[in-house]
Amino acid sequence: MRSVDAPQGDLARCIDVLTDFLTRDDSPDRGVLLGADRAAHAAFEIADRHPERVAAVVALLPGEEAAAGGSPEPPCPALLLSLDEDPDRIESAVVDHLREMGRPAAVPSTYPVRLPPLTAMLLHDAEAMRQRAELGPVHRLEAADATTTWIVTGHQAAGEVLASPHLRGDVEITPGFRAQCPELAAEHRGGTDTISVDAREHRRLRELIGRHLTTEHVSRLRERVQRRVDGLLDGLPASEETDFVRRVAVPLPVLALCELFGVPDADRDYLHDWLVRRLSVPPPGAHEDVDAYLRRLIEAGRKRPGDDFIGWAIAAEGDRLAEDDLVSAARLLLVSGCRPTTTLLANGVAALLLHPGQWQRLVDDPAAAEDAAEELLRFVTPYPLGLPRRARCPVDEGGVRIPEGQLVAASLMAANRDPSVYPDPDVLDIGRAGKAHAAFGHEHHRCLGEPLARMLTSTTLETLARRYPAMALSRDGRGLQYRKNRVRYLLELMVVLEPRS
């Protein structure tokens, strides 16, 4: 027997307390919930949301309510008793009910699949998300003391959530889905800049970036990025084991971003240090000098405009360009363009080498690198979850009523593995054609760095396939170690570019 101190006067809070109890390590995988009055209604709600965790419900309700049935029929055995009954009779009825449950059924019964509670760690697990998507489109993320968050699965449902006008990004959320304390909700919000700012400012920054970070503009950087790719690969030992993550996947996005913003060679170590090391430190300490540096870049760009994002914006906007907006836009692109691209390069190359037939297809036709990059974006999904946003009013998603103020996020991984959209979704196929993936999000929350990420990834894949057709993992792929937070990324990827025959 376990007892939970649930507040009787607040049904929503009572449900939250019971849900948090089920997430504890010492909580049983499956049990009978017994509750009185409000706690009984909470038990029915928990049984409806998590049938895999609840074997039965015993509800003690006021007399008239018990006689009326008290609640919609739950997906498990239920015993309703009146609070007016004699305590001894209540105890006897409960014991008899549990004994009856323990007897073998006369005919085989079908029960809902038993799944562990959905935690932040499982958001990276394609199989775990597929199982939940099969059970329904909306699932509650279980994390004690965390902000209540609902995860939406499925390609269509994810698109609806990402486009919904009823959801807004107005809160700082940590990787554990907890609202940040005021001391850390600093002026510089790092990767969430255009998520937590005022909606009008959010739209203004997106429009500024969208006007000047176009596929056409980014294509003008391809030769410069190609030189950076070749330069990194030239410095690697061809026939010895090397860490692709440390030597290529981490520095290459920084170099590409330096080209995008016209960062002088002398300052590239500074930018690398900020993006790779210092961003892991909570603000404001990690960012206090960055705006000043970006303003110096803008000042230099005004005096001598370059063929880069700052130069494009200055040339096109003229006196209409607000320096503060350009600083915010640049900071956003630098932050959001680094870690996800590193993840895509590392996890994507690992996926290809773990599927030798797909790697060979790319080697046979390096020009197919753009198609390969699209399939890797779907298969790897660098950001497995869209940024959570808050419901500005009660929202109905997939038959679930989400109260105002709670968080909703789309599982981009589940969307990208939706079998109704992608045949054999768990199969890596670099020749896959058809429905576009959801890795970059959707509509007004679509990734603005999309053109640069696509160009950098396809350039790198084509170069690797052309220069090192025999490239292979130097260790057993089953030993790959991933770090899992908001981004699931490889800690290292040991490869040999030109294995000795």
Side-chain angles (χ1 to χ4, degrees):
M1 291 286 294
R2 312 281 180 86
S3 61
V4 180
D5 186 12
Q8 285 292 329
D10 186 342
L11 178 60
R13 179 59 184 155
C14 190
I15 292 170
D16 287 343
V17 168
L18 277 175
T19 303
D20 289 342
F21 164 75
L22 292 177
T23 67
R24 286 166 29 185
D25 292 338
D26 61 347
S27 177
D29 291 338
R30 192 167 170 84
V32 176
L33 297 182
L34 186 154
D37 207 354
R38 288 278 185 173
H41 291 287
F44 280 119
E45 181 67 22
I46 294 296
D48 187 58
R49 295 181 185 180
H50 303 285
E52 75 282 357
R53 303 296 302 278
V54 182
V57 172
V58 175
L60 304 178
L61 298 168
E64 292 183 1
E65 194 173 346
S71 175
E73 183 178 353
C76 64
L79 175 65
L80 274 65
L81 299 170
S82 172
L83 284 168
D84 301 331
E85 288 279 356
D86 179 76
D88 290 338
R89 293 188 63 181
I90 291 177
E91 180 180 350
S92 176
V94 172
V95 170
D96 289 345
H97 183 70
L98 295 180
R99 283 176 176 166
E100 186 67 25
M101 285 181 55
R103 295 176 183 173
V107 295
S109 298
T110 301
Y111 295 94
V113 62
R114 291 182 61 186
L115 296 176
L118 179 59
T119 65
M121 293 291 286
L122 291 178
L123 296 173
H124 305 270
D125 188 319
E127 176 63 15
M129 296 311 298
R130 181 192 62 77
Q131 291 173 335
R132 280 159 180 79
E134 290 176 351
L135 292 177
V138 182
H139 303 269
R140 189 178 190 271
L141 182 70
E142 310 292 2
D145 302 322
T147 305
T148 301
T149 304
W150 298 88
I151 307 301
V152 176
T153 60
H155 195 279
Q156 179 178 345
E160 291 172 355
V161 164
L162 290 166
S164 174
H166 302 301
L167 303 175
R168 62 188 181 190
D170 61 354
V171 64
E172 296 291 343
I173 301 298
T174 70
F177 301 96
R178 292 166 176 80
Q180 286 190 12
C181 59
E183 304 87 72
L184 296 186
E187 178 183 356
H188 300 305
R189 298 180 176 90
T192 62
D193 270 15
T194 64
I195 301 302
S196 52
V197 298
D198 174 81
R200 286 174 295 180
E201 184 181 355
H202 173 273
R203 183 168 56 251
R204 188 174 69 252
L205 292 180
R206 287 189 63 87
E207 289 174 352
L208 173 63
I209 294 171
R211 286 195 297 271
H212 307 298
L213 192 66
T214 63
T215 300
E216 179 183 359
H217 275 142
V218 168
S219 66
R220 287 151 62 173
L221 302 175
R222 184 177 291 273
E223 288 187 11
R224 282 177 267 173
V225 169
Q226 181 68 65
R227 287 196 294 270
R228 296 298 175 183
V229 173
D230 287 330
L232 281 179
L233 296 180
D234 288 344
L236 301 182
S239 301
E240 299 176 10
E241 183 181 66
T242 190
D243 181 4
F244 184 85
V245 172
R246 183 174 64 87
R247 301 293 297 274
V248 179
V250 170
L252 186 53
V254 178
L255 292 174
L257 289 166
C258 287
E259 295 293 349
L260 178 64
F261 289 100
V263 175
D265 286 348
D267 295 340
R268 289 181 176 175
D269 286 344
Y270 164 77
L271 203 65
H272 183 280
D273 183 63
W274 175 53
L275 289 172
V276 174
R277 182 182 66 84
R278 293 170 58 205
L279 271 181
S280 62
V281 180
H287 313 293
E288 59 188 2
D289 57 314
V290 173
D291 280 7
Y293 177 76
L294 293 175
R295 291 184 192 281
R296 290 197 297 273
L297 280 183
I298 293 169
E299 182 181 0
R302 290 189 187 278
K303 294 177 180 177
R304 184 177 296 178
D307 191 14
D308 52 51
F309 180 81
I310 291 175
W312 303 330
I314 290 172
E317 303 289 332
D319 294 338
R320 296 171 300 166
L321 181 62
E323 184 173 288
D324 287 347
D325 283 355
L326 188 52
V327 169
S328 295
R331 184 177 355 101
L332 167 69
L333 287 172
L334 286 167
V335 173
S336 60
C338 189
R339 175 58 60 75
T341 311
T342 288
T343 300
L344 175 60
L345 289 171
N347 294 10
V349 168
L352 286 171
L353 297 183
L354 288 168
H355 296 79
Q358 297 302 307
W359 172 246
Q360 189 59 50
R361 288 176 68 180
L362 183 59
V363 167
D364 292 341
D365 183 16
E370 290 187 2
D371 290 338
E374 294 304 307
E375 173 66 354
L376 289 174
L377 280 159
R378 183 199 71 83
F379 190 79
V380 169
T381 312
Y383 264 95
L385 189 73
L387 286 166
R389 292 186 290 149
R390 191 179 296 281
R392 62 195 308 174
C393 60
V395 177
D396 288 313
E397 291 292 346
V400 175
R401 185 72 164 174
I402 298 173
E404 180 181 356
Q406 296 190 355
L407 297 177
V408 185
S411 171
L412 303 182
M413 173 170 285
N416 280 338
R417 299 293 183 102
D418 189 334
S420 69
V421 178
Y422 310 101
D424 298 320
D426 296 326
V427 173
L428 178 65
D429 177 6
I430 67 170
R432 187 184 297 272
K435 187 75 174 181
H437 57 75
F440 288 122
H442 185 64
E443 290 195 1
H444 56 283
H445 283 286
R446 191 168 182 85
C447 174
L448 290 166
E450 175 183 342
L452 183 65
R454 280 193 161 106
M455 185 270 284
L456 177 59
T457 303
S458 61
T459 299
T460 304
L461 293 176
E462 181 176 359
T463 304
L464 288 169
R466 178 170 40 81
R467 290 184 56 168
Y468 305 112
M471 181 175 65
L473 295 173
S474 62
R475 303 177 186 176
D476 189 342
R478 290 174 296 182
L480 295 179
Q481 297 296 314
Y482 293 86
R483 180 170 181 175
K484 300 177 182 179
N485 52 19
R486 276 196 60 79
V487 181
R488 177 181 184 267
Y489 59 92
L490 277 164
L491 297 176
E492 66 175 15
L493 180 64
M494 305 308 296
V495 301
V496 178
L497 298 176
E498 295 179 348
R500 295 184 177 89
S501 57

